[in-house]
Amino acid sequence: MSLPQLFKNILPYVRPYRWLVILTLTLTLIGSLTAQVNAWVLRYTVDEITLLLSENKGLQEGLHILLIISIILIGKEILNSFIQFGQRFYGEKLRIYISRDLAQTVIEKILTYKLAFFSSGGNQPGKLQTRIDRGIESITRLVQNFFIDILPLFANAIVALIMMFNANFYVGLVALCIVPIYFYISVVQARKMSEARRNIRSLRENKSQGILGILESITVIKSFIRENIEADKQLGLQNDLTSAQMRIRKISFVFDGLKSFIEQIGVVLIIILTAYFVLSGEMSIGAIMFHILLFSNVSAPIRQLHRIYDQMNDALIYSEGFFDILQADHQTESSGSYKPVHIKGKFELRNVNFTYPDNQKQTLRDINMVIHPNKITALVGLSGAGKSTLINLLDKFYHPDSGEILLDGVSLQEYDTTYLRDQIGLVLQKNHIFNGTIEENIRYGNPEATYEDIVDAAKRSYIHDQVMELSEQYQTSALALSGGQQQKIAIARLFLKNPPIIFLDEPTASLDAVSTEQIKNSLDAIKENRTVIIISHSISQIIDSDCIYVMEEGSILEYGTHTEIYNMNGTYKKIFDAMARSLNIDKISKTLE
């Protein structure tokens, strides 16, 4: 991303606070003028004192000079304190406001993206978080420093340069010639450091993702005693990051030394040239200090140019990743406009094929099936058969590569996505529990629900009695519950939402036997007069289904009722018999006898 592109992207976020910008620019202009006062005062002081000494006058005659310069310098410092406070305060205020707007915009934007965006390469949670955090930090720091450091420095330099030309053309020309040389060296430095910084950005993202992976997998790591392996992985990333950082420091130190040398050459030339004019009688002796101080104001931004370029370069590099996220409009979920008054719940899939992004293997192949309304349809198959993927397509999380999905005779693409998902209840094998109370987590199923509705949903999912045993009851943090209890919370959301279509993806997989029976009874109640699709390895859930589809490697092999496809002596019979053997049905039946 180029600098003009960066400013073009930032402009919409700065424009609402234009009054802050105008106020800061006004303070900058005043500050650039007051910054030159010291040079004028020093020249006046040196010339006046030199004159007094040449006339053999002493302190008594020079007291008025001390009084004048004291009043001017103290007054200037008082004025500067207000100017600097205003610049820093309003610059910081601008940074905070823009940071808030950028953060909120990117969150709102991400929430509109389809799941394919998050499953594509490079968009893992840790990497996205690093890109967002570093992008906002570098962009807002550039905006803040532009008004606090960059703009005042260059305003001071321009004013000082004008004054040098006004005092003596040749002295001003020397100062002016140093600036482009110094600037060129800084540009070369920035270009050499750019690739290294991109490498650092990638390494930081990988490191962040690695740490997140450790935190998410800490139980598995400890159970397999793989702490050393994970530590070595992070050490490798850290060593690569350290090497890249040292390379940047090396480049920085070499170019900093070169720039310092160029600056000192400029100081020497200014001193020699001014001394020449003083000796030739064209200038007063005070002009030496006058020009040196003015040149110091000119070289001040030059001295800061490397740091400024660092900040700009950081902003350019990290803003690329940030605005890539913010401007991924092609990833926005598509939505139709169709909103029927009533949904019956009949799904038809015709020649549907699908492959996940960044996945070479096709996930679904030529799927043809009908899911009848007010019936229970079970999807059976080994892991990786494509059962969960099918539900993802029906919930419009992904779109098929080819083929068509109809709901009540209308293409799923024509449905309003928000309306469609409001008609669907989804319970996964492992549902996400948000950082909040039990009440807040259940209310997620219906934000308008009353407390009584929440309690009723909890009772129907058999979690109410356990909640009431807690010291804070429904105000207890949901994250403090066990895995099985959290699953009941997720099912309580389903009761609260009360949709006409229900997708159940292994809803009782993480529950104990008693809880499984309780949830089965609850689900049996909510299944009535609804379209239900269930993925389960539970015999009881499968047998109850009106129609069973057997899947293998993304294709449908068999379908029909339990009895019909069991008697086919095919894949379903093998899976079902394996389920029965895993439950040790023979011993169970003898025990029950």
Side-chain angles (χ1 to χ4, degrees), residues 449-458 496:
T450 64
Y451 179 77
E452 289 72 22
D453 294 334
I454 292 171
V455 172
D456 180 64
L496 206 59

Side-chain angles (χ1 to χ4, degrees), residues 241-294:
L241 182 59
T242 301
S243 298
Q245 289 172 328
M246 288 305 299
R247 182 169 178 268
I248 279 188
R249 290 298 93 201
K250 181 180 178 181
I251 294 172
S252 177
F253 294 149
V254 170
F255 279 89
D256 282 351
L258 181 58
K259 288 186 291 186
S260 179
F261 174 76
I262 296 297
E263 181 186 355
Q264 293 307 311
I265 291 294
V267 172
V268 171
L269 291 175
I270 293 293
I271 293 174
I272 293 173
L273 189 58
T274 305
Y276 169 80
F277 286 121
V278 171
L279 292 174
S280 63
E282 296 182 36
M283 292 182 183
S284 65
I285 193 170
I288 296 178
M289 298 305 300
F290 178 66
H291 288 155
I292 290 175
L293 285 180
L294 287 179

Side-chain angles (χ1 to χ4, degrees), residues 9 11 31 49 52 54 57 88 115 128 137 144 151 161 170 369 375 378 388 426 446 448 478 496 561:
N9 286 327
L11 187 60
I49 290 176
L52 288 174
S54 66
K57 295 180 181 180
R88 293 183 180 279
L115 286 183
L128 282 176
E137 177 189 349
Q144 179 194 29
L151 196 60
L161 198 58
Y170 296 104
M369 63 189 301
K375 300 291 184 180
S388 296
L426 177 63
N446 180 6
E448 305 301 323
L496 206 59
T561 65

Side-chain angles (χ1 to χ4, degrees), residues 194-255:
S194 178
E195 188 60 38
R197 289 186 180 278
R198 291 177 188 274
N199 187 32
I200 286 178
R201 184 189 73 176
S202 177
L203 290 169
R204 279 176 174 159
E205 289 178 359
N206 290 335
K207 183 183 175 184
S208 178
Q209 181 64 31
I211 293 173
L212 186 63
I214 289 174
L215 296 177
E216 290 177 343
S217 312
I218 190 65
T219 303
V220 176
I221 293 170
K222 286 187 173 295
S223 67
F224 282 93
I225 322 172
R226 297 295 182 263
E227 292 90 341
N228 291 338
I229 291 177
E230 296 301 325
D232 289 342
K233 288 180 183 177
Q234 285 300 303
L235 179 60
L237 287 172
Q238 190 61 59
N239 285 337
D240 291 341
L241 182 59
T242 301
S243 298
Q245 289 172 328
M246 288 305 299
R247 182 169 178 268
I248 279 188
R249 290 298 93 201
K250 181 180 178 181
I251 294 172
S252 177
F253 294 149
V254 170
F255 279 89

Side-chain angles (χ1 to χ4, degrees), residues 23 25 40 55 82 106 109 131 166 178 269 359 394 476 540:
L23 187 56
L25 290 174
W40 287 96
E55 297 175 353
F82 285 103
V106 75
K109 198 74 174 179
R131 265 184 252 165
N166 185 61
I178 296 296
L269 291 175
N359 195 339
L394 296 178
T476 303
S540 60

